[in-house]
Amino acid sequence: MVKQISIFLENKAGRLASVTRVLGEAGINIRALSIADTSDFGVLRLIVNEPSLAYRILNEAGFTVSETEVMAVRIPDSPGGLAGVLEVMAGAGVNIEYLYAFIGTTSEDALVIFKVEDVEEAARVFAERDVQFLDAEEVYAL
Amino acid sequence: MYWDAEMECMPREELDQLKLRRLKETVFRVYAFVPHYRDKMDAAGIKPYDIQTLEDIKYLPFTTKQDLRDNYPFGLFAVPMSDVVRIHSSSGTTGKPTVVGYTKKDLYTWTELMARALTCAGATRHSMIQNAYGYGLFTGGLGVHYGAERICASVIPSSGGNTKRQVMLMQDFGTTLITCTPSYALYMYEVMQEMGISPRDLKLKAGIFGAEPWTESMRRDIEARLGIDAYDIYGLSEIIGPGVAIECPQKKGLHLFEDHFMPEIIDPGSGEVLPPGAEGELVITTLTKEALPVIRYRTRDLTSLDYQGCSCGRSHVRMHKVMGRSDDMIIIRGVNVFPSMVESVLLSIPGVEPHYLLIVDRVGTLDELEVWVEVSEKVFSDQVKKLEELGKLIRKELEGTLGIGVKVRLVEPRSIERSEGKAKRIIDRRKL
């Protein structure tokens, strides 16, 4: 599965800049990102080319970091594409905790990162219903 | 194991006789040699010979930190300066520092008391003691140092600060016992983690921690993380320095060395003496000090006294771990709040770190308490919902214990300043 790096950030000026600076200096490329925030803090979620290295250097730099398994799902880049996949998931009872779009895309498809409650169940449903999702290596290499 | 069995295990009756004799001597001495005490006793209509029993001590006026400041620097000394061989001073964070002096005999007493304390916590001539209390005007460093030398242990006078070097010394010299503040012990653990050193690979067996109040849950935390026995030591420069009281291996209170210090517990508001077992402010009278005898010194430390015998064999009274300071107490909307209460609550929630800060502010006419808690990897989640639930849980637990509304703010690790000495736990922004 694709590894997402999650980082705890206080809502203070310059925090996001310092995370991205640390990653940039280590030669790590950010592939996708999202921020969930409250008035006091936020959680930055990243898909990067080298998640283990990113985890280690952020940890060493003193950030609170965790690794989370997520799925990168290929979705037709046309009206109703995302709705189709979401309907499949709803129909099969797969709970989504959050999702966000990938920055770069492959050809005519869009990529969406899904955090689901049960990864194996989601993988089984996707396989059955012909929804394509990418291997970790494919994602990191994008 | 005892350093001075005869004194430490002296039967109660004999001990009380000794205390009374020494108390009378002290009162006569201060009345004769220290104008401040003579004036105060005269004003209260008390003469030295009015003190006939230990209970009579209640007729003597209290001494406060302010009295020491008013007599800055040497006004309360009871001997000529030619007899004073050492001077120490408090940090003076809240005004003029308080200055204390020692005669040669005072230093001998202090060294003996620290030898007792170290022995009580299991130190021997085979121990490698790393003394990370600050050396200098602060009594912690030198106090522990001379006691450790007295028992012929090997002493590393590392003093405070330079934490990476502390850890390196610990590893390379094979430190078996560390002495520092409890908050610094936890910080050292963090630095060990950073350096990739496991405490299990060190020879560290025990730690003697003091100079700030710490809770039972913090003890469990330190013991589990560092894999050691953590002993509480109590002392204050105005009385002598570290070595006023120490925990024995039972860890059920600190034996206060009654042959040199007479403790009382008072109601911090009314000043009335409370019965044994009651919780209140600790008041200490020195019984043998020459240079700076102190009568009924108000320590501001809140505790209780237990006169029941201890299974370790020591007869000296046990004071409960200090529960807080009457001047550390913050009053928020009429409710008394101690940092130690917050610490207990935080440590009762799995994964939450004991690094916290209380911010008190006045918004409009209302006092508000905000508690900053660091988010460790153990409690971190990629889901905001879960973090918010954690914040709510901490808030609910704090409100249940403190009895007032609290705002909890989750902050990044290490964003709360680490201390190499006494931890700063409160920022009061109220302009009263």
Side-chain angles (χ1 to χ4, degrees), chain B residues 311-323:
Chain B
S311 49
C312 77
R314 288 177 182 79
S315 56
H316 294 214
V317 66
R318 278 171 296 161
M319 60 180 269
H320 192 284
K321 237 172 160 345
V322 171
M323 303 163 201

Side-chain angles (χ1 to χ4, degrees), chain A residues 10 15 45 64-65 97-98, chain B residues 375 377 382-383 388 412-413:
Chain A
E10 271 177 70
R15 298 310 291 151
R45 299 159 183 152
T64 298
V65 199
E97 284 168 352
Y98 54 81
Chain B
V375 174
E377 306 219 330
D382 60 310
Q383 293 179 57
E388 284 181 328
E412 287 174 30

Side-chain angles (χ1 to χ4, degrees), chain A:
Chain A
M1 282 306 140
V2 179
K3 287 237 185 324
Q4 166 191 281
I5 299 295
S6 313
I7 303 131
F8 180 83
L9 288 181
E10 271 177 70
N11 273 0
K12 278 196 306 206
R15 298 310 291 151
L16 187 54
S18 70
V19 171
T20 46
R21 172 59 52 214
V22 166
L23 292 174
E25 277 166 5
I28 288 166
N29 217 332
I30 298 170
R31 297 302 186 196
L33 90 169
S34 94
I35 296 178
D37 66 328
T38 70
S39 56
D40 289 338
F41 64 86
V43 177
L44 171 66
R45 299 159 183 152
L46 299 174
I47 304 292
V48 298
N49 57 345
E50 288 185 75
S52 323
L53 177 65
Y55 179 89
R56 192 164 57 78
I57 62 160
L58 286 170
N59 200 300
E60 280 167 8
F63 290 98
T64 298
V65 199
S66 73
E67 278 183 336
T68 315
E69 286 199 339
V70 294
M71 303 183 86
V73 181
R74 201 188 291 276
I75 286 170
D77 194 3
S78 57
L82 179 58
V85 172
L86 290 174
E87 277 156 14
V88 165
M89 295 174 82
V94 176
N95 279 330
I96 303 168
E97 284 168 352
Y98 54 81
L99 57 82
Y100 53 99
F102 218 81
I103 299 166
T105 55
T106 54
S107 62
E108 64 272 20
D109 290 332
L111 272 181
V112 173
I113 299 292
F114 280 83
K115 166 74 193 298
V116 295
E117 220 169 59
D118 186 339
V119 178
E120 277 164 34
E121 171 70 6
R124 199 181 53 74
V125 170
F126 287 160
E128 259 174 30
R129 303 292 299 269
D130 230 14
V131 176
Q132 288 185 42
F133 57 96
L134 276 64
D135 285 347
E137 294 317 315
E138 284 179 79
V139 173
Y140 304 151
L142 281 174

